[in-house]
Amino acid sequence: MSKFTNKKSNELPAVNTASLPDIVFMLLFFFMVVTVLRDDNLLVQNKLPKADQVEKLKKDRSVYIYAGKPSSRYVDKYGAEPKIQIGDKYTDITNIKFALTEARQKLLPELQDKVMVALKVDEKTNTGMVTDIKQELRDLNMLKIIYITTPGNEITN
């Protein structure tokens, strides 16, 4: 008779890494899809006032207008007077119609008539600038205006 020998050792087998590249690429694609990139480079100071009734805004049909003093890294270049920012550039109150028309054209065609203007105005900006912006919006027939604020109550804080 022949002798049976046990050729197996008591060592653990090596970990199979054949599916590791698939997992890495799947995670890479997942994070690429869910990551939100910043749309605008903020050129103005933007400490928003507080409000107690805050609601989320859908970004697919909105145009953002920022107003306030230039941020500290742009004060030397543009001065300390309050500025209006649409997109990534400053605009003057006389050029706001052109800038808003250009921003409206970037939206989907079916949403261009239903556009909402979101005002992100620094809390120390004077109301005269806001009134001028609102007058230009009336001239363009962009009457849906939303004021962006931060959650909270200014009286109790």
Side-chain angles (χ1 to χ4, degrees):
M1 292 259 196
S2 68
K3 256 188 184 177
F4 293 103
T5 58
N6 189 3
K7 293 186 179 181
K8 290 185 179 178
S9 64
N10 291 337
E11 295 178 18
L12 291 174
V15 176
N16 187 3
T17 59
S19 64
L20 189 62
D22 294 334
I23 295 170
V24 169
F25 281 116
M26 188 171 46
L27 284 173
L28 177 69
F29 287 130
F30 172 77
F31 286 116
M32 285 174 55
V33 169
V34 299
T35 301
V36 177
L37 299 177
R38 187 179 209 157
D39 290 338
D40 299 327
N41 185 14
L42 198 57
L43 303 174
V44 296
Q45 292 177 7
N46 205 321
K47 185 175 180 203
L48 300 173
K50 296 182 180 177
D52 57 358
Q53 297 178 0
V54 180
E55 181 179 320
K56 279 281 199 186
L57 173 68
K58 293 182 181 179
K59 294 185 177 184
D60 60 346
R61 60 181 220 169
S62 59
V63 175
Y64 288 91
I65 298 177
Y66 303 96
K69 293 182 179 180
S71 58
S72 59
R73 37 180 205 200
Y74 298 108
V75 169
D76 296 336
K77 188 174 182 181
Y78 296 108
E81 291 297 315
K83 302 277 186 196
I84 300 169
Q85 177 187 348
I86 298 175
D88 276 339
K89 51 189 167 188
Y90 288 127
T91 185
D92 194 45
I93 201 70
T94 57
N95 296 333
I96 200 167
K97 287 182 184 178
F98 174 73
L100 284 173
T101 307
E102 183 180 330
R104 184 192 284 186
Q105 295 298 325
K106 292 180 183 176
L107 295 175
L108 295 173
E110 60 269 8
L111 297 176
Q112 289 179 2
D113 295 334
K114 301 173 185 173
V115 68
M116 293 179 137
V117 177
L119 292 176
K120 282 188 151 186
V121 181
D122 186 52
E123 65 183 2
K124 294 183 180 176
T125 303
N126 58 8
T127 56
M129 178 176 277
V130 177
T131 305
D132 292 342
I133 293 170
K134 286 171 51 178
Q135 184 61 43
E136 294 294 324
L137 292 172
R138 277 188 215 117
D139 293 344
L140 282 171
N141 200 23
M142 296 175 96
L143 303 175
K144 295 180 182 176
I145 300 173
I146 297 174
Y147 294 96
I148 306 293
T149 62
T150 56
N153 191 348
E154 190 66 39
I155 297 171
T156 59
N157 290 341

